Amino acid sequence: MQRLGELEASVMDVLWNSTEPLRVRQVLEAINQHRDLAYTTVMTVLDNLHRKEWVVREMRNRAYYYRAVATREEATAQSLRELLDASDDRESVLLHFARSVTEEESDILRRALRRKPGKR
Protein backbone atom coordinates (compact mmCIF):
# COMPACT_ATOMS: atom_id res chain seq x y z
CA MET A 1 0.00 0.00 0.00
CA GLN A 2 1.24 3.45 -0.84
CA ARG A 3 1.43 6.11 1.83
CA LEU A 4 -1.42 8.57 2.08
CA GLY A 5 -1.28 12.29 1.49
CA GLU A 6 -3.01 14.66 3.94
CA LEU A 7 -6.28 14.86 2.02
CA GLU A 8 -6.31 11.13 1.34
CA ALA A 9 -5.83 10.50 5.06
CA SER A 10 -8.79 12.79 5.84
CA VAL A 11 -10.99 10.87 3.41
CA MET A 12 -9.83 7.54 4.84
CA ASP A 13 -10.62 8.78 8.37
CA VAL A 14 -14.22 9.40 7.27
CA LEU A 15 -14.48 5.93 5.74
CA TRP A 16 -12.83 4.24 8.73
CA ASN A 17 -15.25 5.99 11.09
CA SER A 18 -18.28 4.82 9.11
CA THR A 19 -20.03 1.51 9.66
CA GLU A 20 -21.30 1.44 6.09
CA PRO A 21 -20.09 2.36 2.58
CA LEU A 22 -20.46 6.05 1.72
CA ARG A 23 -21.22 8.12 -1.39
CA VAL A 24 -18.93 10.98 -2.40
CA ARG A 25 -21.48 13.50 -1.10
CA GLN A 26 -21.51 11.83 2.35
CA VAL A 27 -17.71 11.91 2.55
CA LEU A 28 -17.74 15.56 1.42
CA GLU A 29 -20.26 16.53 4.11
CA ALA A 30 -18.19 14.87 6.82
CA ILE A 31 -14.94 16.49 5.68
CA ASN A 32 -16.52 19.91 5.20
CA GLN A 33 -17.34 20.09 8.90
CA HIS A 34 -13.65 21.00 9.30
CA ARG A 35 -12.63 22.38 5.89
CA ASP A 36 -14.15 23.62 2.64
CA LEU A 37 -13.61 21.25 -0.27
CA ALA A 38 -15.35 20.90 -3.62
CA TYR A 39 -17.34 17.81 -4.55
CA THR A 40 -14.99 17.13 -7.48
CA THR A 41 -11.95 17.25 -5.18
CA VAL A 42 -13.35 14.54 -2.93
CA MET A 43 -14.48 12.53 -5.95
CA THR A 44 -10.94 12.68 -7.39
CA VAL A 45 -9.40 11.67 -4.06
CA LEU A 46 -11.75 8.69 -3.77
CA ASP A 47 -10.96 7.70 -7.35
CA ASN A 48 -7.23 7.87 -6.56
CA LEU A 49 -7.73 5.81 -3.38
CA HIS A 50 -9.62 3.25 -5.44
CA ARG A 51 -6.79 3.12 -7.99
CA LYS A 52 -4.26 2.70 -5.12
CA GLU A 53 -6.45 -0.12 -3.70
CA TRP A 54 -7.16 1.64 -0.39
CA VAL A 55 -10.92 1.55 -1.10
CA VAL A 56 -13.39 -0.51 -3.07
CA ARG A 57 -16.48 0.91 -4.68
CA GLU A 58 -19.86 -0.47 -5.61
CA MET A 59 -22.35 1.09 -8.03
CA ARG A 60 -25.85 1.51 -6.56
CA ASN A 61 -28.56 3.54 -8.28
CA ARG A 62 -26.05 5.38 -10.50
CA ALA A 63 -23.79 6.36 -7.57
CA TYR A 64 -20.62 4.79 -6.27
CA TYR A 65 -20.44 3.76 -2.63
CA TYR A 66 -16.95 3.57 -1.15
CA ARG A 67 -15.54 1.58 1.75
CA ALA A 68 -12.04 0.98 3.07
CA VAL A 69 -10.34 -2.24 1.99
CA ALA A 70 -8.72 -2.64 5.41
CA THR A 71 -9.38 -1.33 8.88
CA ARG A 72 -7.28 1.54 10.19
CA GLU A 73 -5.40 -0.96 12.37
CA GLU A 74 -4.72 -3.33 9.48
CA ALA A 75 -3.51 -0.47 7.27
CA THR A 76 -1.24 0.81 10.04
CA ALA A 77 0.22 -2.66 10.59
CA GLN A 78 0.82 -3.00 6.84
CA SER A 79 2.66 0.35 6.83
CA LEU A 80 4.83 -0.82 9.73
CA ARG A 81 5.53 -4.06 7.87
CA GLU A 82 6.61 -2.13 4.76
CA LEU A 83 8.92 0.10 6.81
CA LEU A 84 10.50 -2.93 8.43
CA ASP A 85 10.89 -4.69 5.07
CA ALA A 86 12.65 -1.61 3.68
CA SER A 87 15.33 -1.76 6.38
CA ASP A 88 18.72 -3.34 5.85
CA ASP A 89 18.96 -4.05 9.59
CA ARG A 90 15.61 -5.33 10.83
CA GLU A 91 17.05 -6.45 14.14
CA SER A 92 18.28 -2.94 14.93
CA VAL A 93 14.95 -1.40 13.93
CA LEU A 94 13.03 -3.86 16.11
CA LEU A 95 15.35 -3.28 19.07
CA HIS A 96 15.00 0.50 18.78
CA PHE A 97 11.26 0.11 18.54
CA ALA A 98 11.14 -2.25 21.54
CA ARG A 99 12.99 0.34 23.63
CA SER A 100 10.44 3.01 22.65
CA VAL A 101 7.25 1.19 23.68
CA THR A 102 5.35 1.86 26.87
CA GLU A 103 4.94 -0.81 29.54
CA GLU A 104 1.34 -1.36 28.39
CA GLU A 105 2.45 -1.77 24.77
CA SER A 106 5.18 -4.14 25.88
CA ASP A 107 2.57 -6.28 27.69
CA ILE A 108 0.41 -6.34 24.55
CA LEU A 109 3.37 -7.48 22.45
CA ARG A 110 4.30 -10.20 24.95
CA ARG A 111 0.74 -11.55 24.98
CA ALA A 112 0.63 -11.52 21.18
CA LEU A 113 3.95 -13.36 20.91
CA ARG A 114 2.77 -16.07 23.35
CA ARG A 115 -0.26 -16.86 21.20
CA LYS A 116 -0.01 -19.69 18.78
CA PRO A 117 0.29 -18.70 15.10
CA GLY A 118 -3.07 -18.41 13.37
CA LYS A 119 -5.00 -17.52 16.54
CA ARG A 120 -6.29 -14.00 17.13
Side-chain angles (χ1 to χ4, degrees):
M1 291 183 122
Q2 298 175 18
R3 288 196 177 160
L4 297 175
E6 179 189 346
L7 191 49
E8 291 173 325
S10 295
V11 168
M12 288 304 299
D13 281 339
V14 171
L15 293 175
W16 280 324
N17 290 326
S18 176
T19 58
E20 58 191 37
L22 300 175
R23 296 184 331 270
V24 174
R25 174 106 17 233
Q26 293 170 297
V27 174
L28 175 69
E29 289 169 359
I31 287 178
N32 278 350
Q33 292 178 14
H34 307 288
R35 44 196 324 171
D36 189 24
L37 297 176
Y39 179 92
T40 53
T41 301
V42 174
M43 183 174 62
T44 299
V45 171
L46 282 164
D47 190 53
N48 290 341
L49 289 168
H50 179 259
R51 184 178 39 77
K52 292 178 179 182
E53 298 181 345
W54 279 84
V55 301
V56 292
R57 65 186 177 196
E58 175 188 342
M59 180 68 81
R60 293 188 213 159
N61 300 323
R62 297 178 45 195
Y64 279 120
Y65 283 74
Y66 294 85
R67 70 173 172 77
V69 169
T71 66
R72 181 189 318 265
E73 295 77 16
E74 290 166 336
T76 302
Q78 178 64 32
S79 293
L80 290 171
R81 176 81 259 161
E82 289 169 4
L83 288 170
L84 187 59
D85 288 347
S87 172
D88 291 333
D89 187 357
R90 291 179 183 174
E91 180 179 356
S92 181
V93 172
L94 286 170
L95 291 173
H96 283 288
F97 178 75
R99 285 192 289 271
S100 74
V101 300
T102 66
E103 191 60 41
E104 180 183 0
E105 292 164 340
S106 181
D107 290 342
I108 292 167
L109 287 170
R110 276 194 213 89
R111 283 194 308 272
L113 290 170
R114 280 195 295 266
R115 289 187 193 141
K116 293 186 182 197
K119 284 192 174 182
R120 290 194 158 196

Short mmCIF file of all heavy atoms in Angstrom, two decimals, residues 49-71:
data_model
loop_
_atom_site.label_atom_id
_atom_site.label_comp_id
_atom_site.label_asym_id
_atom_site.label_seq_id
_atom_site.Cartn_x
_atom_site.Cartn_y
_atom_site.Cartn_z
N LEU A 49 -7.81 6.84 -4.42
CA LEU A 49 -7.73 5.81 -3.38
C LEU A 49 -8.18 4.46 -3.92
O LEU A 49 -7.64 3.42 -3.55
CB LEU A 49 -8.55 6.22 -2.15
CG LEU A 49 -7.96 7.36 -1.34
CD1 LEU A 49 -8.98 7.87 -0.33
CD2 LEU A 49 -6.68 6.91 -0.62
N HIS A 50 -9.16 4.48 -4.80
CA HIS A 50 -9.62 3.25 -5.44
C HIS A 50 -8.51 2.68 -6.33
O HIS A 50 -8.21 1.48 -6.30
CB HIS A 50 -10.89 3.51 -6.26
CG HIS A 50 -11.41 2.30 -6.96
ND1 HIS A 50 -11.20 2.08 -8.30
CD2 HIS A 50 -12.09 1.23 -6.49
CE1 HIS A 50 -11.76 0.93 -8.64
NE2 HIS A 50 -12.29 0.39 -7.57
N ARG A 51 -7.88 3.54 -7.12
CA ARG A 51 -6.79 3.12 -7.99
C ARG A 51 -5.61 2.57 -7.18
O ARG A 51 -4.97 1.60 -7.57
CB ARG A 51 -6.33 4.31 -8.84
CG ARG A 51 -5.27 3.98 -9.86
CD ARG A 51 -4.88 5.19 -10.72
NE ARG A 51 -4.80 6.45 -10.02
CZ ARG A 51 -3.81 6.85 -9.22
NH1 ARG A 51 -2.79 6.05 -9.02
NH2 ARG A 51 -3.82 8.04 -8.65
N LYS A 52 -5.35 3.15 -6.00
CA LYS A 52 -4.26 2.70 -5.12
C LYS A 52 -4.65 1.50 -4.27
O LYS A 52 -3.86 1.01 -3.46
CB LYS A 52 -3.83 3.84 -4.19
CG LYS A 52 -3.17 5.00 -4.90
CD LYS A 52 -2.84 6.08 -3.89
CE LYS A 52 -2.14 7.26 -4.51
NZ LYS A 52 -1.78 8.28 -3.50
N GLU A 53 -5.90 1.05 -4.41
CA GLU A 53 -6.45 -0.12 -3.70
C GLU A 53 -6.60 0.10 -2.20
O GLU A 53 -6.53 -0.84 -1.41
CB GLU A 53 -5.62 -1.36 -4.01
CG GLU A 53 -5.63 -1.71 -5.48
CD GLU A 53 -4.84 -2.95 -5.84
OE1 GLU A 53 -4.03 -3.43 -5.00
OE2 GLU A 53 -5.03 -3.46 -6.95
N TRP A 54 -6.83 1.35 -1.78
CA TRP A 54 -7.16 1.64 -0.39
C TRP A 54 -8.66 1.48 -0.15
O TRP A 54 -9.08 1.24 0.98
CB TRP A 54 -6.73 3.06 -0.02
CG TRP A 54 -5.29 3.18 0.31
CD1 TRP A 54 -4.25 3.35 -0.56
CD2 TRP A 54 -4.69 3.14 1.61
NE1 TRP A 54 -3.07 3.43 0.12
CE2 TRP A 54 -3.31 3.30 1.45
CE3 TRP A 54 -5.21 2.99 2.89
CZ2 TRP A 54 -2.42 3.31 2.53
CZ3 TRP A 54 -4.33 3.01 3.96
CH2 TRP A 54 -2.95 3.16 3.78
N VAL A 55 -9.46 1.66 -1.22
CA VAL A 55 -10.92 1.55 -1.10
C VAL A 55 -11.46 0.70 -2.24
O VAL A 55 -10.82 0.56 -3.29
CB VAL A 55 -11.62 2.94 -1.12
CG1 VAL A 55 -11.14 3.83 0.01
CG2 VAL A 55 -11.46 3.64 -2.45
N VAL A 56 -12.63 0.14 -2.00
CA VAL A 56 -13.39 -0.51 -3.07
C VAL A 56 -14.67 0.29 -3.24
O VAL A 56 -15.10 1.01 -2.33
CB VAL A 56 -13.71 -2.00 -2.74
CG1 VAL A 56 -12.45 -2.83 -2.76
CG2 VAL A 56 -14.44 -2.13 -1.44
N ARG A 57 -15.24 0.17 -4.41
CA ARG A 57 -16.48 0.91 -4.68
C ARG A 57 -17.49 -0.01 -5.34
O ARG A 57 -17.13 -0.95 -6.04
CB ARG A 57 -16.22 2.15 -5.51
CG ARG A 57 -15.71 1.89 -6.89
CD ARG A 57 -15.35 3.19 -7.57
NE ARG A 57 -14.79 2.93 -8.89
CZ ARG A 57 -14.11 3.80 -9.59
NH1 ARG A 57 -13.91 5.01 -9.10
NH2 ARG A 57 -13.65 3.50 -10.78
N GLU A 58 -18.74 0.31 -5.08
CA GLU A 58 -19.86 -0.47 -5.61
C GLU A 58 -20.88 0.50 -6.17
O GLU A 58 -21.25 1.47 -5.50
CB GLU A 58 -20.47 -1.30 -4.48
CG GLU A 58 -21.70 -2.06 -4.87
CD GLU A 58 -22.37 -2.70 -3.66
OE1 GLU A 58 -21.73 -2.85 -2.61
OE2 GLU A 58 -23.57 -3.03 -3.77
N MET A 59 -21.34 0.24 -7.39
CA MET A 59 -22.35 1.09 -8.03
C MET A 59 -23.74 0.70 -7.51
O MET A 59 -24.12 -0.47 -7.56
CB MET A 59 -22.29 0.93 -9.54
CG MET A 59 -23.29 1.76 -10.30
SD MET A 59 -22.99 3.53 -10.23
CE MET A 59 -21.73 3.74 -11.47
N ARG A 60 -24.46 1.70 -6.99
CA ARG A 60 -25.85 1.51 -6.56
C ARG A 60 -26.65 2.71 -7.04
O ARG A 60 -26.32 3.84 -6.69
CB ARG A 60 -25.97 1.46 -5.03
CG ARG A 60 -25.34 0.29 -4.37
CD ARG A 60 -25.73 0.29 -2.89
NE ARG A 60 -24.65 -0.24 -2.08
CZ ARG A 60 -24.50 -0.02 -0.80
NH1 ARG A 60 -25.36 0.75 -0.15
NH2 ARG A 60 -23.50 -0.55 -0.13
N ASN A 61 -27.69 2.46 -7.80
CA ASN A 61 -28.56 3.54 -8.28
C ASN A 61 -27.77 4.71 -8.88
O ASN A 61 -27.96 5.86 -8.52
CB ASN A 61 -29.46 4.06 -7.16
CG ASN A 61 -30.36 2.97 -6.63
OD1 ASN A 61 -30.84 2.12 -7.39
ND2 ASN A 61 -30.58 2.96 -5.33
N ARG A 62 -26.85 4.39 -9.77
CA ARG A 62 -26.05 5.38 -10.50
C ARG A 62 -25.09 6.18 -9.62
O ARG A 62 -24.64 7.25 -10.00
CB ARG A 62 -26.96 6.31 -11.29
CG ARG A 62 -27.77 5.57 -12.35
CD ARG A 62 -28.71 6.42 -13.11
NE ARG A 62 -28.09 7.68 -13.53
CZ ARG A 62 -28.77 8.72 -13.96
NH1 ARG A 62 -30.08 8.67 -14.01
NH2 ARG A 62 -28.16 9.83 -14.34
N ALA A 63 -24.77 5.69 -8.44
CA ALA A 63 -23.79 6.36 -7.57
C ALA A 63 -22.86 5.32 -6.99
O ALA A 63 -23.28 4.22 -6.64
CB ALA A 63 -24.50 7.11 -6.45
N TYR A 64 -21.58 5.67 -6.91
CA TYR A 64 -20.62 4.79 -6.27
C TYR A 64 -20.69 4.94 -4.76
O TYR A 64 -20.82 6.05 -4.24
CB TYR A 64 -19.18 5.11 -6.71
CG TYR A 64 -18.81 4.52 -8.05
CD1 TYR A 64 -18.43 5.34 -9.10
CD2 TYR A 64 -18.80 3.14 -8.25
CE1 TYR A 64 -18.06 4.80 -10.33
CE2 TYR A 64 -18.44 2.60 -9.47
CZ TYR A 64 -18.07 3.44 -10.50
OH TYR A 64 -17.72 2.90 -11.72
N TYR A 65 -20.57 3.80 -4.08
CA TYR A 65 -20.44 3.76 -2.63
C TYR A 65 -19.05 3.22 -2.33
O TYR A 65 -18.65 2.19 -2.88
CB TYR A 65 -21.51 2.85 -2.01
CG TYR A 65 -22.87 3.48 -1.95
CD1 TYR A 65 -23.64 3.63 -3.10
CD2 TYR A 65 -23.39 3.93 -0.74
CE1 TYR A 65 -24.90 4.21 -3.05
CE2 TYR A 65 -24.65 4.52 -0.68
CZ TYR A 65 -25.39 4.66 -1.83
OH TYR A 65 -26.62 5.24 -1.77
N TYR A 66 -18.34 3.91 -1.45
CA TYR A 66 -16.95 3.57 -1.15
C TYR A 66 -16.81 3.03 0.26
O TYR A 66 -17.48 3.49 1.18
CB TYR A 66 -16.07 4.81 -1.28
CG TYR A 66 -15.98 5.34 -2.69
CD1 TYR A 66 -16.95 6.20 -3.20
CD2 TYR A 66 -14.93 4.97 -3.51
CE1 TYR A 66 -16.86 6.70 -4.50
CE2 TYR A 66 -14.83 5.46 -4.81
CZ TYR A 66 -15.81 6.32 -5.29
OH TYR A 66 -15.71 6.80 -6.57
N ARG A 67 -15.89 2.06 0.42
CA ARG A 67 -15.54 1.58 1.75
C ARG A 67 -14.06 1.22 1.76
O ARG A 67 -13.48 0.89 0.72
CB ARG A 67 -16.40 0.41 2.19
CG ARG A 67 -16.16 -0.88 1.47
CD ARG A 67 -16.93 -2.06 2.09
NE ARG A 67 -16.82 -3.22 1.25
CZ ARG A 67 -15.74 -4.00 1.19
NH1 ARG A 67 -14.71 -3.77 1.95
NH2 ARG A 67 -15.72 -5.05 0.37
N ALA A 68 -13.46 1.30 2.92
CA ALA A 68 -12.04 0.98 3.07
C ALA A 68 -11.82 -0.50 2.85
O ALA A 68 -12.63 -1.34 3.26
CB ALA A 68 -11.56 1.39 4.46
N VAL A 69 -10.71 -0.85 2.22
CA VAL A 69 -10.34 -2.24 1.99
C VAL A 69 -9.92 -2.89 3.30
O VAL A 69 -10.23 -4.05 3.55
CB VAL A 69 -9.20 -2.33 0.95
CG1 VAL A 69 -8.60 -3.72 0.89
CG2 VAL A 69 -9.70 -1.90 -0.41
N ALA A 70 -9.22 -2.13 4.14
CA ALA A 70 -8.72 -2.64 5.41
C ALA A 70 -9.11 -1.69 6.53
O ALA A 70 -9.39 -0.52 6.28
CB ALA A 70 -7.19 -2.76 5.35
N THR A 71 -9.13 -2.20 7.74
CA THR A 71 -9.38 -1.33 8.88
C THR A 71 -8.19 -0.41 9.08
O THR A 71 -7.10 -0.65 8.53
CB THR A 71 -9.58 -2.16 10.18
OG1 THR A 71 -8.34 -2.81 10.49
CG2 THR A 71 -10.72 -3.16 10.05
#
